[in-house]
Amino acid sequence: MKLPKTFYFKKFTKISGKLLPITFNRKFPIKVKRIFFIYGKKKYKRGDHAHKKCSLVFFPIMGKVKINMKYKKIEKSINLSHNGSKALLVPPKIWTNVEFLNDKTIVLVLADYEYDFKDYIETYEEFLAFQKRNK
């Protein structure tokens, strides 16, 4: 079982602003097949599901979020901010939700799996049963 991990994008800063390129080369942790954005308001959550096969990379481009994850008896939360260059890779089989810590927050999400409704585990009860079947 792969565990979530944070990693950093290289950021270039000048007096005129910042550049943060994302290069999908061999060093990137997943092979990107889908890109989407999550928008949210302070104190609201998105997600609350797991994937059977899909890995996701979360990177806030505006605002701050807390990514909450559960697997078996392990619970972990990671804070991410648009001010940094830190991203979070969440492998499949981990229950995840995104908690918005600011209004007008936008999170860029990169996925290594094309959208497939059958890949989603939508209820926590189904997730617990999935874990028992896939030890």
Side-chain angles (χ1 to χ4, degrees), residues 1 20 29 41 43 129:
M1 167 71 198
L20 195 142
K41 294 179 182 178
K43 297 183 183 177

Side-chain angles (χ1 to χ4, degrees), residues 31-69:
K31 184 176 180 182
V32 177
K33 292 188 177 180
R34 181 169 47 121
I35 298 172
F36 58 94
F37 298 90
I38 302 173
Y39 300 82
K41 294 179 182 178
K42 189 175 182 176
K43 297 183 183 177
Y44 285 92
K45 293 181 183 178
R46 296 289 314 260
D48 260 347
H49 63 264
H51 290 275
K52 296 172 188 170
K53 298 179 182 177
C54 184
S55 295
L56 301 172
V57 171
F58 294 91
F59 184 75
I61 57 174
M62 182 178 283
K64 295 178 185 177
V65 292
K66 183 193 302 186
I67 311 292
N68 303 299
M69 299 160 284

Side-chain angles (χ1 to χ4, degrees), residues 1-7 29 55-56 69-72 74-76 78 88-94:
M1 167 71 198
K2 292 183 180 179
L3 297 175
K5 69 175 186 175
T6 56
F7 64 96
S55 295
L56 301 172
M69 299 160 284
K70 294 180 186 177
Y71 178 75
K72 300 205 183 237
I74 300 169
E75 292 189 29
K76 187 171 184 174
I78 302 282
L88 175 67
L89 169 64
V90 178
K93 303 175 186 170
I94 296 176

Side-chain angles (χ1 to χ4, degrees), residues 10 16-17 26 70 111 123:
K10 188 171 182 176
S16 59
R26 280 180 262 137
K70 294 180 186 177
T123 68

